[in-house]
Amino acid sequence: MDHVDRRGFLKVAGLAGASAALAACSSPTTTPTPVPPPSSSSVPSGPPDWTALRSRLSGQLVLAGDDGFAYQGFNPVWDGRKPAAVAEVASAADVQACVEAARGRVAIAARSGGHSYAGYSSPAGGLQVDVRELAGVEVLPGDQVRVGSGAALGDVARKLVASGRCLPTGTCPSVGVAGLTMGGGIGVLSRKYGLTCDHLVSATVVTASGQLVTASAQQEPDLFWALRGGGGGNFGIVTEFVFSTVPAPDVTVFSLSYPAGAAADALGAWQTWIAEAPDELWSNVVVRGGGRPSCKIGGCFIGSVGGLAALVNKLPAPAQRFIQAQTYAEATRYFAGGPIARESAVASSRIVREPISDPAQAVDLLAGQSDETYLIFDGLGGAVAGVAPDGTAFPHRKALANVQIYLKTPPEAAEQARGTLATIRDGLGALVGDAGYVNYIDPQMPQWAQAYYGGNLPRLKEVAAKYDPDHVFAFAQAVSG
């Protein structure tokens, strides 16, 4: 249950002080062997038999009282949310054993990148299934790649670039491919090539019954639909993905800096500009808090420096301008922005369906706030809009942009920061509507299920009821309720 991905752009836009992190064939070579599912009338009770589980694992099981037990996700805000046990799984069979042991007894959740904004990859007092050892990346004949669910985006990018391919993903190298994909997967190539989930060919999943199934357009199609935007952690634990890829393009990257007081004009111009831009252009706007908020516009263009310059010249003149042609390998490093440290923050999101009529009202939400408070507008459209809103579980296909609201804060000040976050989130919602992006999941989001899933919510509930009728994968914002 990871999120993605604001970090890289904050760093390359010259805002490193605000964040070290940002804006993810064939079926498997062997046919999964299902474990016979228990009936819902035989759901066990009582604590798990940790000794029995440990004996079944090829990986390791570490209990809270054991030496060396330590859980840390990406965000220190959630360090106190500790599981009773962590299973460091080494195979799909290990995951099946974990589900069987936890089912009906304790909460269970998967952890890959550990970036969940709500800390949901660490079930307090439950069993965390750490899939980071399932991190293989195998480039297949043709245009496909097989990726373990524990792989991080940086590992996937490096392996594919070496083969001249790429998978459109977010930019933060430590984000897990699993959470990114299952929430949709917005990234710097989305307008040209679509979301990460649009490239999913199949997924191998351990369901709540302990079965190992392959979900694809031909097999378990309802589950396959739900895994593409229905949110991490809702329908089972994925052990492996197969994606289609595209040739790694050379790109031109850019960053435009606007001074305090110019953010509203820049944001207003950007809204019209990105709506009319060719699909080869992706861009975002980072508005930074302060007495008078400032902003930066940046992104990348699949094309030449001259072609990008002609497009950029349609925006208001910036105080500083950077444009550079790069290989795709160079661009992945550029957007990653260097080493990624753990970072304490609270965050939320809104979806911008239509241009904000008065951009100054959005910018003013950050006036007087800390300079480590941000609105990050990621442009959508292009290939994202080429899929029907119900074609996958990701519902925001026709939107202009996604906005991440991000407040860096010490863990001890997180509660106060959540109050500020709510004020900004609800103020922005009054301007753009109440929808949000599930990969920036907010535990305090009003009407969260409708906000994240829109018209796809009823079908998602049906899929959850089919594959997890006993709420084995329940958590505070689970689709199954």
Side-chain angles (χ1 to χ4, degrees), residues 19 89 170 200 204 261 270 426:
S19 180
V89 297
L200 185 62
T204 304
W270 177 86
D426 296 346

Side-chain angles (χ1 to χ4, degrees), residues 51-409:
T51 301
L53 176 58
R54 178 177 278 133
S55 70
R56 294 183 60 186
L57 297 181
S58 55
Q60 295 186 12
L61 181 71
V62 185
L63 302 181
D66 294 346
D67 291 341
F69 176 88
Y71 169 72
Q72 286 187 335
F74 180 80
N75 190 342
V77 165
W78 302 110
D79 279 356
R81 189 182 181 125
K82 296 188 182 298
V86 175
E88 299 169 355
V89 297
S91 67
D94 281 0
V95 178
Q96 290 179 282
C98 288
V99 171
E100 182 177 329
R103 186 178 190 274
R105 299 179 185 275
V106 293
I108 181 172
R111 181 260 167 92
S112 51
H115 284 253
S116 171
Y117 274 163
Y120 291 145
S121 53
S122 179
L127 175 60
Q128 181 187 78
V129 182
D130 188 336
V131 299
R132 285 179 293 173
E133 290 300 312
L134 305 179
V137 180
E138 179 189 0
V139 179
L140 301 171
D143 68 347
Q144 296 181 340
V145 62
R146 180 176 290 115
V147 181
S149 62
L153 301 187
D155 298 327
V156 176
R158 283 188 292 273
K159 183 74 171 184
L160 284 174
V161 164
S163 299
R165 311 294 299 178
C166 79
L167 174 66
T169 68
T171 58
C172 175
S174 64
V175 162
V177 70
L180 172 75
T181 301
M182 289 187 283
I186 297 170
V188 300
L189 298 179
S190 292
R191 285 174 46 82
K192 178 62 176 177
Y193 296 119
L195 304 175
T196 308
C197 73
D198 296 335
H199 291 261
L200 185 62
V201 175
S202 67
T204 304
V205 189
V206 177
T207 67
S209 67
Q211 289 181 292
L212 187 65
V213 303
T214 296
S216 68
Q218 294 75 38
Q219 301 172 266
E220 312 290 345
D222 288 340
L223 179 59
F224 182 61
W225 176 86
L227 292 174
R228 293 174 292 154
N234 279 306
F235 310 104
I237 298 178
V238 176
T239 62
E240 181 180 274
F241 299 95
V242 174
F243 296 100
S244 63
T245 65
V246 298
D250 290 339
V251 300
T252 303
V253 301
F254 70 101
S255 178
L256 313 175
S257 301
Y258 293 88
D265 288 343
L267 175 59
W270 177 86
Q271 293 181 120
T272 302
W273 181 75
I274 194 64
E276 298 173 350
D279 294 356
E280 289 75 14
L281 176 73
W282 174 85
S283 178
N284 71 358
V285 180
V286 180
V287 181
R288 184 173 189 171
R292 299 175 69 207
S294 60
C295 83
K296 299 206 174 192
I297 297 176
C300 70
F301 177 61
I302 303 173
S304 67
V305 170
L308 176 61
L311 292 168
V312 166
N313 288 341
K314 298 177 182 180
L315 289 167
Q320 294 181 324
R321 169 169 142 163
F322 170 79
I323 298 179
Q324 186 179 76
Q326 295 185 347
T327 66
Y328 187 71
E330 291 170 334
T332 59
R333 294 190 292 270
Y334 171 83
F335 283 109
I340 301 298
R342 299 181 76 218
E343 185 166 279
S344 176
V346 296
S348 191
S349 65
R350 287 298 185 192
I351 298 292
V352 183
R353 299 185 181 96
E354 303 289 342
I356 301 170
S357 58
D358 184 359
Q361 290 184 284
V363 172
D364 286 349
L365 294 170
L366 267 60
Q369 299 293 345
S370 161
D371 63 3
E372 293 181 328
T373 305
Y374 300 90
L375 295 179
I376 305 166
F377 293 76
D378 287 316
L380 298 176
V384 177
V387 178
D390 62 354
T392 70
F394 180 86
H396 312 300
R397 295 288 182 172
K398 306 305 179 183
L400 175 71
N402 169 67
V403 188
Q404 183 175 187
I405 310 158
Y406 189 81
L407 285 72
K408 187 176 178 183
T409 179

Side-chain angles (χ1 to χ4, degrees), residues 367-463:
Q369 299 293 345
S370 161
D371 63 3
E372 293 181 328
T373 305
Y374 300 90
L375 295 179
I376 305 166
F377 293 76
D378 287 316
L380 298 176
V384 177
V387 178
D390 62 354
T392 70
F394 180 86
H396 312 300
R397 295 288 182 172
K398 306 305 179 183
L400 175 71
N402 169 67
V403 188
Q404 183 175 187
I405 310 158
Y406 189 81
L407 285 72
K408 187 176 178 183
T409 179
E412 61 272 16
E415 194 60 38
Q416 180 179 350
R418 288 189 189 99
T420 301
L421 177 72
T423 298
I424 297 171
R425 178 199 63 216
D426 296 346
L428 189 59
L431 300 176
V432 304
D434 57 5
Y437 178 33
V438 69
N439 270 354
Y440 300 145
I441 198 164
D442 172 3
Q444 297 178 315
M445 173 71 89
Q447 303 298 314
W448 60 266
Q450 186 66 35
Y452 294 139
Y453 304 117
N456 290 335
L457 180 60
R459 185 177 175 187
L460 283 167
K461 286 184 171 293
E462 291 176 1
V463 176

